[in-house]
Amino acid sequence: MTRILLPLLCLTALVPAAGALKVQVWDRELQTKVGDGESSGSKLVMQFVGDYDGPVVVLFAQTDEEKSRVMFPGLKSSYNGSLSKGQLTLQVPGVSGASVTRDSAANTSLTLSKFLTPFKLTLSAQPAGLSLSLPGLKTTDTAAKDSPGKSGAGKDSSAKDVK
């Protein structure tokens, strides 16, 4: 019985969590979403609007399981920051290891990649709007090449000779 139980316990411990850390990036007025992402394993996949440049609010949402397992200790639900040319910088209060005096700034600027390091997450960022390409699926470019012209000369063959 223990021969079966021990390997079974080891396998269940290796199963990744069902939930994922979700991240949303909004403009300062919380009217336009300029970034979105979700963790998968040890990677945080983010998409950013390429042409946005300015202050943002970054919102983190943990699943109940992540909170109960304390997977992201010290992670707040929101941070101020800025987004410029696809580079997200967070204003992090009192970074550990940094001596903060009354005269120095209370916040430290960190790129999202450096911010994720203590949480053992790596960043994979891409501009929003990049399409996913899977084998067998036509992209919008190939679909346009395969479709008949706009002149109407190449109409659907199923519509011809209908009387």
Side-chain angles (χ1 to χ4, degrees), residues 147-153:
S147 67
K150 293 181 181 179
S151 65

Side-chain angles (χ1 to χ4, degrees), residues 75-160:
L75 180 66
K76 294 183 178 185
S77 60
S78 70
Y79 293 88
N80 289 324
S82 63
L83 180 63
S84 179
K85 299 176 185 168
Q87 176 83 6
L88 179 61
T89 304
L90 301 175
Q91 296 297 318
V92 182
V95 176
S96 62
S99 61
V100 177
T101 64
R102 290 182 186 165
D103 297 332
S104 68
N107 290 338
T108 301
S109 295
L110 290 176
T111 62
L112 181 59
S113 182
K114 287 185 180 181
F115 175 79
L116 295 172
T117 302
F119 303 114
K120 296 181 176 65
L121 289 173
T122 57
L123 177 64
S124 174
Q126 60 189 28
L130 288 181
S131 61
L132 177 63
S133 176
L134 295 174
L137 294 179
K138 291 184 179 181
T139 63
T140 54
D141 294 337
T142 57
K145 290 177 188 174
D146 293 344
S147 67
K150 293 181 181 179
S151 65
K155 297 240 181 202
D156 186 6
S157 62
S158 64
K160 63 182 171 183

Side-chain angles (χ1 to χ4, degrees), residues 9 24 49:
L9 287 174
Q24 292 185 352
V49 173

